[in-house]
């Protein structure tokens, strides 16, 4: 059984999650960054995992568009869907906005991998905005965003059984 992981991210958290996911999955696995690589033909893959990050409240356009463009083919595969975001409380809303309803219903697993803010990689404007968001969150007692490694593990276990 071969697996294709397609993803899009902004500053590296999504790629970290994909690297860990890839190490936990069984069988041949290929990863494609939709922001820089051309996706292959889906025919040879039994399982397809699609994910991306939330960036200022919006899911990555490349991942979203891939799902829309390939919906019929994707519905023939075992599908896993994930989102990386620092605000997991809103994951259900993000999922509905990110993925077509038919794909959400068809998916074997849907999960949030959390997220982190790698401010050292950010451009000036992004650093400024995320700095204000972090200060506001700290004042209200919210923890800093972090990757939820247990979610990545749980996701890979479920996909291995699919």
């Amino acid at each position: 059984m071969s697996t294709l992981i397609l993803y899009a991210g902004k500053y590296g958290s999504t790629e970290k999650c994909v690297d860990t996911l890839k190490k936990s999955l069984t069988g041949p696995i290929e990863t494609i960054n939709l922001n820089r690589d051309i996706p292959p033909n889906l025919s040879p893959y039994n399982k397809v995992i699609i994910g991306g990050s939330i960036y200022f409240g919006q899911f990555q356009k490349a991942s979203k568009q891939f799902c829309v463009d390939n919906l019929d083919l994707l519905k023939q595969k075992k599908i896993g869907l994930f989102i990386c975001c620092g605000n997991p409380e809103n994951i259900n809303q993000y999922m509905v906005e990110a993925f077509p309803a038919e794909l959400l219903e068809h998916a074997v697993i849907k999960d949030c991998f959390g997220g982190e803010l790698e401010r050292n990689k950010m451009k000036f404007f992004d650093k400024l905005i995320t700095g204000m968001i972090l200060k506001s969150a700290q004042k209200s007692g919210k923890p800093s965003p972090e990757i939820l490694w247990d979610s990545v593990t749980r996701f890979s276990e479920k996909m291995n059984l699919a």
Side-chain angles (χ1 to χ4, degrees), residues 12 14-16 25 32-33 35 40 42 46 53 63 66 78 88 107 121 128 133 152-154 156:
T14 305
E15 192 162 29
K16 277 185 190 178
L25 294 169
I32 298 292
N33 182 333
N35 283 334
L42 296 177
N46 305 88
S53 63
S63 292
F66 180 85
K78 293 178 182 170
K121 295 181 181 180
L128 182 69
I133 291 168
V152 178
T153 301
R154 191 172 48 249
S156 65

Side-chain angles (χ1 to χ4, degrees), residues 19 47-48 67 72 77 83 114-115 124 136 149:
D19 289 343
K47 301 176 186 178
V48 178
C67 292
D72 290 335
K77 309 291 179 181
I83 291 178
F124 174 77
S136 173
W149 296 113

Side-chain angles (χ1 to χ4, degrees), residues 17 85 88 111-115 146-154:
C17 292
C85 70
D111 211 339
C112 175
F113 292 169
E146 63 182 342
I147 294 175
L148 305 172
W149 296 113
D150 288 346
S151 293
V152 178
T153 301
R154 191 172 48 249

Side-chain angles (χ1 to χ4, degrees), residues 45-82:
Y45 301 98
N46 305 88
K47 301 176 186 178
V48 178
I49 298 170
I50 306 164
S53 63
I54 298 293
Y55 182 67
F56 289 112
Q58 298 295 313
F59 188 63
Q60 290 288 320
K61 288 179 186 177
S63 292
K64 188 173 189 170
Q65 192 61 51
F66 180 85
C67 292
V68 170
D69 292 346
N70 295 281
L71 183 59
D72 290 335
L73 282 171
L74 290 169
K75 291 189 319 187
Q76 299 171 23
K77 309 291 179 181
K78 293 178 182 170
I79 299 294
L81 304 172
F82 73 89

